[in-house]
Amino acid sequence: MASRIVVHNVDAGYGAVRVLHRLSIEVREGETVALLGTNGNGKSTLIKCIMGIVRPEAGEVLLESDGARIDLTKRSTEEIVGLGIAMVPEGRRLFPKLTVEENLLLGAYRPGARGDITRNLAFCFEAFPVLRARRTQLAGSMSGGEQQMLAVARALMSSPRVLLVDEPSVGLAPILVSRVIAKIKELKDRHHLTVLMAEQNFNQATKIADRAYIIVHGKIEFEGQSMQELRGNELVKKYYMGL
Amino acid sequence: MFSWDLLANAVVAGVLLGGFYAAVSLGVSLTFGLLDVVNIAHPAFVILGSYAAYAMNSSFGLDPILTGMLLTPLFYVLGAAVYQVYYASFERRGEESLRGLVFFFGLLFIIEVSLSLTYGVDYRLVEAPYIGKSIELGGVGVAVRLLVPFAVGLAMTLALHLFLSRTFYGRAIKAVSQDRLALRLMGANPVRIKTIAFGIGIAAASLSGALLVTIAPVVPSTDRDYIGRVFAIAVLGGLGSIGGTLVAAIILGVAESLMATFFGPSWSLAVSFGILLLALAVRPTGLFGR
């Protein structure tokens, strides 16, 4: 079940505003790739392109899976989820007036995941014990960190092959950021997930990433094949380390 | 004028009436409470269901409530079609708040006028073995024509509650108005989910119409008596809460019954608006609102 995501020469934006300019990235099977960049550089737009929420004006977005090449620009968001790509959206976007458990069960909506419900639910409760304790509580009444954990767990309920995480650290206290990031790594190792994570918190993201892209004004400005290479890069020093 | 016998009779009749009111209001709790679609034509679909049951009963002697159940798939399809029109014409363009309301208001009159043209404005009633009988329960007389709709109303409430809490479609229906994009990220198409829910709401309306014609004769304009009631019940119950709908319906049923017994039947229609005002003033989220 080898699956990788290929984004090739994509132009995308909102109306007259172009956000991504001939942007190309690749996320290979089993990798954790970080997409680094400060606010407004196009990280979220790129993730939305992969999910079919924003349609590219030019270029290709492909899921290569078991030898097949699937053109994601022709698929609806629902179909893309059905292919085993899950997204943890920025701002979490839980269903605030549903309980924790109802949120999790909705995560298993896609037919391919319904058979795994018992196993996935047990795993989520084991990975995030706080969710088991609060399973009957309304999602909107939990703290930000708990909500972020629920958002990650809900995405995992769909038994994804590829997990896209958009800004998991926004609005969280530093200690919670570490915990959420560490959990994503743990889950990735156990589920053999392929992960693409957009993040502006350089230090946290590089803790778990195998590789990283730095995106500036909608273009990939640097591609680091290892974390050492990344830390020595001038752009990183300029944008993230204040050097 | 007051007697304990009268009170007991009024309360029992009110509870039974409440079970029926729950059946009439379930569709509104679903479409208005969970989908944010102000389907003001709901009572017209109720009356359409009454006339369908009447037509089958008078032509073929079929049991009205059984007819109501058999016709639910047909009304489901009708409801799904109505939602598709509403979605394509208003909701997709973001014009649902005012023009959508006018659309449903128009639909209400079209249904009402069509029924008047077809069946006239005479009262229509049905025949069934349980109409006209009554049983004695501890000194309180209970009309069987109220008991059967009460039981069917309870069964409908339970069925809808189980559907919403135990199935994937049901949970998606509860989520759809909270965050459409998030629902798409779960792999569900919001328009499809709303179409299914609206179809179920209209199917429930038609079945409750069959209950209505069992309880009392109907004319095409009977729907107007129910606009206030169904929205009062949906709001008092806490929008979208199915259990709350049943409790609110029974409260309204008992209140109306007491009012009719001790102050005269002409006051009973005012009760629903009184309850609606009270609910909005004191507890706008309703009894069981989240």
Side-chain angles (χ1 to χ4, degrees):
Chain A
M1 287 244 292
S3 44
R4 66 181 191 143
I5 300 247
V6 179
V7 175
H8 186 63
N9 279 342
V10 159
D11 286 345
Y14 307 90
V17 183
R18 179 168 292 181
V19 179
L20 303 181
H21 306 271
R22 298 185 71 76
L23 184 146
S24 301
I25 66 161
E26 188 184 320
V27 186
R28 294 186 286 263
E29 169 79 15
E31 276 188 323
T32 299
V33 175
L35 199 58
L36 300 167
T38 46
N39 255 342
N41 281 303
K43 302 186 302 294
S44 290
T45 305
L46 175 55
I47 289 203
K48 284 176 184 161
C49 275
I50 298 174
M51 290 309 294
I53 300 168
V54 171
R55 294 295 178 191
E57 288 145 31
E60 292 179 305
V61 182
L62 301 170
L63 170 69
E64 294 186 351
S65 170
D66 308 322
R69 285 160 68 91
I70 302 165
D71 183 356
L72 296 184
T73 60
K74 303 254 185 328
R75 303 294 183 110
S76 68
T77 301
E78 298 91 282
E79 287 171 325
I80 291 169
V81 173
L83 292 169
I85 304 179
M87 172 178 169
V88 182
E90 186 179 1
R92 307 181 277 269
R93 304 199 77 146
L94 300 170
F95 302 109
K97 291 178 178 180
L98 296 185
T99 64
V100 168
E101 189 166 25
E102 285 170 325
N103 269 277
L104 289 172
L105 291 174
L106 269 166
Y109 184 91
R110 82 174 179 106
R114 293 185 188 179
D116 301 333
I117 266 193
T118 318
R119 201 195 65 201
N120 286 343
L121 200 59
F123 172 78
C124 286
F125 284 153
E126 185 206 323
F128 305 106
V130 63
L131 298 183
R132 187 201 298 277
R134 313 213 157 184
R135 63 197 289 175
T136 58
Q137 192 174 325
L138 296 188
S141 69
M142 298 200 301
S143 73
E146 291 163 349
Q147 289 193 18
Q148 188 65 54
M149 296 189 188
L150 178 55
V152 173
R154 184 180 67 173
L156 289 173
M157 288 297 292
S158 73
S159 295
R161 290 184 286 180
V162 179
L163 184 66
L164 311 177
V165 189
D166 196 2
E167 302 270 11
S169 72
V170 165
L172 294 187
I175 174 95
L176 289 173
V177 175
S178 297
R179 198 183 298 165
V180 168
I181 296 267
K183 275 294 175 201
I184 291 174
K185 165 140 181 71
E186 187 188 323
L187 300 171
K188 184 231 150 183
D189 292 342
R190 286 180 60 167
H191 281 251
H192 310 292
L193 284 171
T194 303
V195 177
L196 174 64
M197 181 170 69
E199 184 53 75
Q200 42 183 316
N201 188 327
F202 174 81
N203 289 319
Q204 292 294 348
T206 50
K207 274 186 195 167
I208 67 166
D210 301 313
R211 291 194 296 129
Y213 293 94
I214 295 181
I215 179 168
V216 180
H217 301 318
K219 294 188 182 118
I220 299 296
E221 288 292 337
F222 181 71
E223 184 181 344
Q225 292 303 330
S226 70
M227 288 305 116
Q228 286 87 341
E229 196 182 330
L230 206 63
R231 287 200 177 86
N233 181 267
E234 291 303 317
L235 266 173
V236 171
K237 287 182 181 167
K238 181 175 157 206
Y239 280 107
Y240 296 101
M241 298 177 164
L243 297 174
Chain B
M1 180 74 215
F2 179 83
S3 82
W4 289 106
D5 259 7
L6 222 50
L7 180 69
N9 269 297
V11 169
V12 170
V15 170
L16 295 182
L17 195 62
F20 158 69
Y21 282 171
V24 184
S25 310
L26 284 176
V28 172
S29 286
L30 196 58
T31 53
F32 180 49
L34 289 173
L35 308 184
D36 287 346
V37 177
V38 190
N39 177 17
I40 202 164
H42 183 84
F45 287 102
V46 173
I47 305 302
L48 200 58
S50 298
Y51 273 87
Y54 156 75
M56 300 297 272
N57 181 260
S58 60
S59 309
F60 308 107
L62 282 176
D63 179 85
I65 293 175
L66 186 66
T67 307
M69 288 175 184
L70 292 176
L71 288 179
T72 49
L74 204 67
F75 278 90
Y76 171 86
V77 173
L78 178 66
V82 167
Y83 179 74
Q84 288 289 332
V85 172
Y86 169 75
Y87 173 74
S89 315
F90 307 102
E91 207 174 58
R92 194 179 49 181
R93 304 176 192 178
E95 293 170 347
E96 69 264 34
S97 49
L98 195 57
R99 294 183 187 193
L101 193 64
V102 174
F103 167 73
F104 284 116
F105 206 59
L107 204 58
L108 177 114
F109 277 106
I110 290 170
I111 294 172
E112 208 183 296
V113 169
S114 306
L115 286 174
S116 298
L117 291 174
T118 315
Y119 293 101
V121 291
D122 299 328
Y123 275 97
R124 302 289 171 169
L125 47 97
V126 292
E127 283 167 19
Y130 40 84
I131 296 175
K133 285 186 187 152
S134 74
I135 51 174
E136 192 87 358
L137 280 178
V140 179
V142 177
V144 183
R145 70 178 165 79
L146 273 179
L147 200 57
V148 175
F150 172 77
V152 176
L154 285 191
M156 285 168 70
T157 307
L158 185 66
L160 191 60
H161 172 74
L162 290 177
F163 172 72
L164 288 176
S165 56
R166 301 280 169 88
T167 68
F168 284 100
Y169 282 134
R171 286 188 286 262
I173 289 169
K174 289 207 280 189
V176 69
S177 70
Q178 293 182 39
D179 193 330
R180 291 167 65 93
L181 176 63
L183 191 62
R184 298 184 71 195
L185 290 175
M186 306 295 107
N189 178 338
V191 177
R192 178 144 181 263
I193 293 299
K194 289 183 94 167
T195 304
I196 292 170
F198 203 87
I200 293 172
I202 298 304
S206 75
L207 179 52
S208 71
L211 304 180
L212 169 63
V213 76
T214 316
I215 292 175
V218 296
V219 286
S221 60
T222 307
D223 56 355
R224 297 175 198 175
D225 299 345
Y226 284 87
I227 295 176
R229 283 192 184 119
V230 294
F231 281 92
I233 289 169
V235 169
L236 179 64
L239 287 173
S241 164
I242 300 306
T245 302
L246 180 64
V247 174
I250 289 177
I251 290 174
L252 182 68
V254 171
E256 276 191 9
S257 179
L258 290 175
M259 198 63 114
T261 306
F262 295 107
F263 298 96
S266 50
W267 281 98
S268 64
L269 269 179
V271 173
S272 55
F273 288 103
I275 284 183
L276 183 60
L277 282 177
L278 206 64
L280 288 174
V282 179
R283 199 176 155 82
T285 52
L287 296 172
F288 297 89
R290 280 180 169 180

